[in-house]
Amino acid sequence: MKYEILNGLPSSHAWKKVDIYGKTYKGIIWDEKNIKRDDTLLLYKDWATVFFDSDWYEIGTGSISEEDSTERDVHLLKDIFRGNLKRDKTLIDVHCGSGRHLLKLAEDEIYGIGMEGAEPLRDQAKQKIRDRNVPITIFSTSDSDKRKLAGRADIVTTLFNSMGYTFSYDDDANRFRWITNLLKPEGLYLLDIRAEDFQIKNYSTPQTTVNQFSVNLNNHEGDVEVETLRYWSNKILAVEKKIIFDGAKVQHSTYGWRTYSNNEIKDMLQNLDMRFVESRDDYYTAPENYGERTLFLFQKDKNLRKKI
C-alpha cells in the first residue's frame, strides 16, 4: 500500500446527517474514489479542519473512558512538573480541544488558558466552561491571539498528539516557534506526541481493526461498528476510518499525521533556545499500548536569543 498527500479537502466532502430520535448527528462522508485509488490511500492536508467537528469523532473512538484518561493525563502533568503546577502560575494549553484537561485542572483551582484553532471545539470548550462557571479563557490560534499571549506563560502544554496534522515538517517547525514564544524565560513546555517507534513497529504493515460496541444516543441504544485501517511509511501514518451505526454508514474519511523521531523533536526545539529536560514513554487509554506516546519536557533558555 502507498499514500498520496493532497491539498485541501476532497471535492466530494459532505456532511451526512442522521436523525436519531429527534436529534441530528452529522458525520463526514467522502466518495470512495477520494479515499482510495488502487493501492493508494489519499490523504488531505486540511482533514483536521473538519474531522473534529464530526459528532462521530468522540462516538467513533469509543471514548467511554475519556474521564479516566483525562484524570491520568492530569496526574502525569502533576508528576512531570514536580510542584511547578501551581495556582499562581500561568498555564496555556495549546490545541486544547474541548477543554477537558483545563476543566480537570480547574477542580484543583488551577485555572489555565486554552488555545484552539478549530472553531467547533472552541465553542464546545466555552460552553463547558459556562456550564461549570470556572474562570478559564479560550483563545483562537490567530496571529492576533498569539501576540496577546506571547511571553505570558510559565507553562505551555500540547497534549494528545496535536502535531503533524498537515504532514509538513515546516508547518510543525513554525508551530513550535509560536508555541515557545508564549513562554516566559525559563518557562516549561510539555509536548505529548505519538511515538514514531511505536508506529513503525505496529503499522509498517497495513493493519485493519474492527470494533463493535453499543452507544446510547438521545435515549436510543444503537450498535456502532468502527473499521480502521492504519498504515505507516516514510514518517506518515495514514488512516482510513469507516463508521456504521445501526447498519448505515455515517462516516467515511481518511486522516493521519507526520511522525517524528526523538532526535528530530529535540533538534527542532533546541534550535528555538529550548533546553531538553526529560522524556518518558506512556500510553493513552490502553495499558497494553505502553510506548505509543512520548512526553517531552523542555525549558526556555533564560538568555534566549531574539526570535525572528
Side-chain angles (χ1 to χ4, degrees):
M1 176 172 282
K2 299 177 290 187
Y3 63 83
E4 182 178 348
I5 297 171
L6 303 170
N7 290 322
L9 292 169
S11 58
S12 64
H13 170 70
W15 292 103
K16 178 163 185 175
K17 297 181 179 180
V18 180
D19 186 76
I20 301 173
Y21 280 59
K23 184 173 179 180
T24 300
Y25 295 81
K26 65 177 184 177
I28 301 165
I29 295 288
W30 296 346
D31 289 348
E32 296 280 351
K33 66 181 180 181
N34 294 132
I35 291 175
K36 282 182 183 173
R37 185 186 303 127
D38 299 323
D39 66 341
T40 301
L41 196 63
L42 304 179
L43 302 173
Y44 299 87
K45 286 189 173 183
D46 287 349
W47 68 268
T49 63
V50 294
F51 186 80
F52 300 110
D53 195 19
S54 166
D55 292 323
W56 298 98
Y57 163 60
E58 298 286 356
I59 300 166
T61 56
S63 57
I64 55 175
S65 62
E66 181 178 291
E67 180 65 24
D68 290 340
S69 65
T70 304
E71 192 167 327
R72 274 198 73 253
D73 287 349
V74 170
H75 177 77
L76 278 170
L77 292 182
K78 292 176 179 178
D79 184 52
I80 290 169
F81 288 122
R82 300 187 183 93
N84 286 292
L85 199 60
K86 300 176 181 177
R87 297 175 189 175
D88 62 344
K89 300 290 186 180
T90 299
L91 177 144
I92 299 178
D93 187 14
V94 176
H95 306 308
C96 67
S98 61
R100 62 189 179 98
H101 294 104
L102 290 168
L103 289 164
K104 178 58 69 173
L105 286 168
E107 295 176 7
D108 293 330
E109 297 184 356
I110 297 171
Y111 302 117
I113 295 168
M115 297 184 75
E116 175 54 55
E119 185 176 3
L121 290 178
R122 283 201 307 275
D123 291 342
Q124 290 178 37
K126 290 176 181 178
Q127 184 59 55
K128 290 178 181 179
I129 290 164
R130 286 193 293 269
D131 291 344
R132 301 191 193 184
N133 192 29
V134 289
I136 298 170
T137 305
I138 303 296
F139 289 83
S140 72
T141 54
S142 67
D143 288 343
S144 61
D145 281 352
K146 292 172 189 174
R147 288 192 294 270
K148 287 177 189 175
L149 297 175
R152 287 181 53 180
D154 298 289
I155 293 172
V156 171
T157 59
T158 48
L159 299 169
F160 206 75
N161 193 48
S162 299
M163 308 299 293
Y165 287 176
T166 62
F167 312 107
S168 165
Y169 179 99
D170 289 342
D171 287 352
D172 286 325
N174 288 332
R175 186 175 292 109
F176 279 142
R177 184 177 296 276
W178 70 257
I179 286 173
T180 57
N181 197 45
L182 301 171
L183 286 165
K184 300 174 182 177
E186 299 189 278
L188 296 169
Y189 174 41
L190 180 69
L191 170 66
D192 168 16
I193 62 171
R194 292 189 183 273
E196 183 174 80
D197 287 348
F198 185 91
Q199 315 299 309
I200 295 170
K201 178 181 177 181
N202 288 276
Y203 306 122
S204 290
T205 299
Q207 301 287 329
T208 298
T209 57
V210 179
N211 297 316
Q212 294 180 309
F213 51 92
S214 294
V215 294
N216 189 298
L217 300 179
N218 206 29
N219 298 317
H220 173 69
E221 192 75 14
D223 294 323
V224 174
E225 177 181 299
V226 183
E227 180 179 311
T228 309
L229 165 69
R230 292 183 179 87
Y231 171 58
W232 185 94
S233 176
N234 195 28
K235 294 192 170 292
I236 299 296
L237 184 78
V239 184
E240 175 191 3
K241 180 164 285 187
K242 183 189 300 182
I243 302 176
I244 308 294
F245 177 77
D246 279 355
K249 185 165 68 174
V250 294
Q251 180 143 314
H252 194 189
S253 65
T254 65
Y255 62 93
W257 48 79
R258 189 196 192 283
T259 64
Y260 292 93
S261 69
N262 288 5
N263 284 338
E264 283 180 305
I265 292 294
K266 291 175 184 177
D267 287 346
M268 292 168 81
L269 283 156
Q270 286 170 344
N271 285 338
L272 295 170
D273 301 308
M274 300 294 294
R275 180 178 64 85
F276 172 71
V277 178
E278 68 168 282
S279 65
R280 64 176 72 182
D281 293 333
D282 200 75
Y283 62 91
Y284 286 109
T285 57
E288 61 268 26
N289 288 333
Y290 182 86
E292 70 177 325
R293 80 195 291 194
T294 304
L295 299 106
F296 296 86
L297 183 64
F298 291 86
Q299 186 171 36
K300 193 166 192 175
D301 188 341
K302 64 180 179 181
N303 298 313
L304 65 156
R305 298 184 298 270
K306 184 178 179 181
K307 305 296 185 295
I308 298 173

